[in-house]
Amino acid sequence: MHLEYGGVVPELASRAHQKNIVPVVSEAIRKAGIEKRDLNAIAYTIGPGLLGSLLVGSSFAKGMAASLNIPLLEINHMEAHILAHFINHALEDISFPFLNLTVSGGHTQLVIVENDLSMRVIGQTKDDAAGEAFDKCGKLLGLGYPAGPLLDRHAKSGNPKAFEFPKSSMQGFDYSFSGLKTAFLYFLRDEREKEENFIANNLNDLCASLQENIVDVLLSKLRKAARHHGIKSIGIAGGVSANSRLRSAFEELGKKEKWNTYIPDFEYCTDNGAMIAMSGYFKYQNQLFGSLRSKPLARLKI
Ligand code: KG4
Ligand code: ZN
């Protein structure tokens, strides 16, 4: 739906949510082999995200919870990406505090996870998110939207050392990716002046080199934060953690640093309902119920 615009169009997204939410929820309940009356609570995303889409979800969740007379659970989207680790791990499997690099289309965060209910952001991007860097640079290469997964695929047959691009060096544990995008734009412009088909002739190498740059920047800050805080339990999560090079480089680094590493299964990296349900489970266990009065995007801690 968003492909022809090269990015998410908020109004189209919220209309699509409105159109699809009833059939999607009905199908999920049918596939799970349960009835609506079997539900104990309704977990929904309170933010961060696009307001129009969040409003559709929150209104629907509130209506459903009220009609079934069951509690609501308000879930933070970024916390849910992290709690996706527990879809395949028991709470006791991962020792706290653990450090997570959450990389999505809108966020890049280093988070210290004290436990399933308490998290603290220690560093984040000052401008573009890592997913945005993949998507925007991919767009310059003429790839579709979202470009991240396509770039990943082309990179598999490319040389990651073919081209070198500048690496941001932010202070502390923060990131910045907008400089890379600008450098990439001018690099392509200059090369295309010399060679008209430069992109087509070098697509795989361009993808591999760009990907290597982003992965390197992400992981060197993660390593710095892990060493600084003396944490050995380390995870990556969010849409960009589906990236094959990030996954393999993270595992390699983990071996060198003697970390216990965690990556959600591929299908739980990009946005999914299971991570929201998983987060809802922890809140439900602790009786942290939501309210019919809560507004999306209000009171978000991370
Ligand atoms: O978490 P997510 O599904 O949605 C947001 O919360 O933003 O993340 C989407 C982002 C997009 O920028 C997409 O291009 C990126 O994750 N992404 C990837 C890959 N799969 C998804 N980036 C690089 N390589 C991938 N394989
Ligand atoms: Zn996400």
Side-chain angles (χ1 to χ4, degrees):
M1 173 185 296
H2 302 287
L3 183 61
E4 66 177 294
Y5 304 100
V8 172
V9 183
E11 187 54 33
L12 288 184
S14 57
R15 284 187 212 171
H17 275 65
Q18 220 164 12
K19 187 166 155 229
N20 292 311
I21 195 156
V22 173
V24 166
V25 171
S26 305
E27 193 184 337
I29 289 174
R30 187 183 58 75
K31 279 195 177 163
I34 57 167
E35 304 280 335
K36 265 192 269 179
R37 62 171 180 274
D38 296 329
L39 299 172
N40 301 104
I42 310 279
Y44 76 95
T45 307
I46 195 157
L50 294 170
L51 184 60
S53 301
L54 292 171
L55 274 171
V56 174
S58 70
S59 310
F60 183 83
K62 286 173 187 175
M64 194 164 172
S67 72
L68 295 170
N69 198 23
I70 54 177
L72 280 165
L73 304 159
E74 298 164 359
I75 308 301
N76 178 309
H77 181 85
M78 300 315 294
E79 290 183 4
H81 269 305
I82 297 174
L83 295 175
H85 290 302
F86 296 102
I87 296 174
N88 289 322
H89 289 282
L91 200 52
E92 313 76 65
D93 285 356
I94 304 183
S95 62
F96 293 109
F98 88 85
L99 176 66
N100 195 82
L101 167 69
T102 324
V103 269
S104 72
H107 293 76
T108 299
Q109 297 181 328
L110 283 168
V111 182
I112 292 190
V113 184
E114 307 286 0
N115 56 53
D116 52 313
L117 300 171
S118 171
M119 306 185 189
R120 181 160 60 89
V121 177
I122 57 162
Q124 57 192 321
T125 182
K126 290 292 173 201
D127 39 57
D128 289 353
E132 239 171 323
F134 272 106
D135 294 340
K136 288 180 176 169
C137 292
K139 193 172 176 181
L140 296 173
L141 293 173
L143 303 178
Y145 180 85
L150 303 165
L151 208 140
D152 186 350
R153 203 174 325 139
H154 283 289
K156 288 198 171 103
S157 328
N159 172 9
K161 296 207 168 88
F163 303 104
E164 218 169 301
F165 306 112
K167 288 186 181 147
S168 74
S169 58
M170 297 293 287
Q171 290 216 316
F173 304 123
D174 287 333
Y175 290 102
S176 162
F177 287 103
S178 66
L180 171 65
K181 179 186 62 190
T182 311
F184 195 60
L185 173 76
Y186 290 127
F187 170 79
L188 291 179
R189 185 198 60 185
D190 294 347
E191 293 302 319
R192 288 172 79 186
E193 270 173 21
K194 291 182 249 163
E195 181 188 346
E196 203 187 326
N197 290 329
F198 177 75
I199 292 181
N201 294 341
N202 297 280
L203 186 59
N204 294 344
D205 286 349
L206 284 165
C207 290
S209 303
L210 192 83
Q211 178 174 272
E212 199 64 17
N213 177 301
I214 297 172
V215 168
D216 212 48
V217 169
L218 287 173
L219 293 184
S220 44
K221 268 284 150 81
L222 177 63
R223 181 181 56 205
K224 181 176 167 188
R227 286 183 180 174
H228 180 85
H229 288 276
I231 299 178
K232 293 274 182 191
S233 248
I234 318 279
I236 57 171
V240 180
S241 67
N243 180 269
S244 58
R245 180 62 192 136
L246 179 61
R247 292 169 89 90
S248 64
F250 172 64
E251 296 290 15
E252 284 162 28
L253 178 64
K255 271 197 201 111
K256 259 193 233 151
E257 298 285 313
K258 301 199 168 40
W259 292 343
N260 291 319
T261 51
Y262 302 94
I263 315 179
D265 280 357
F266 186 77
E267 65 267 38
Y268 302 127
C269 289
T270 45
D271 290 353
N272 63 88
M275 70 186 198
I276 307 299
M278 191 69 241
S279 311
Y281 171 80
F282 290 125
K283 289 223 156 150
Y284 186 79
Q285 294 287 307
N286 290 278
Q287 307 238 319
L288 293 169
F289 300 130
S291 146
L292 287 173
R293 288 171 184 272
S294 297
K295 295 192 180 92
L297 297 178
R299 293 184 284 106
L300 288 180
K301 278 204 250 112
I302 77 166

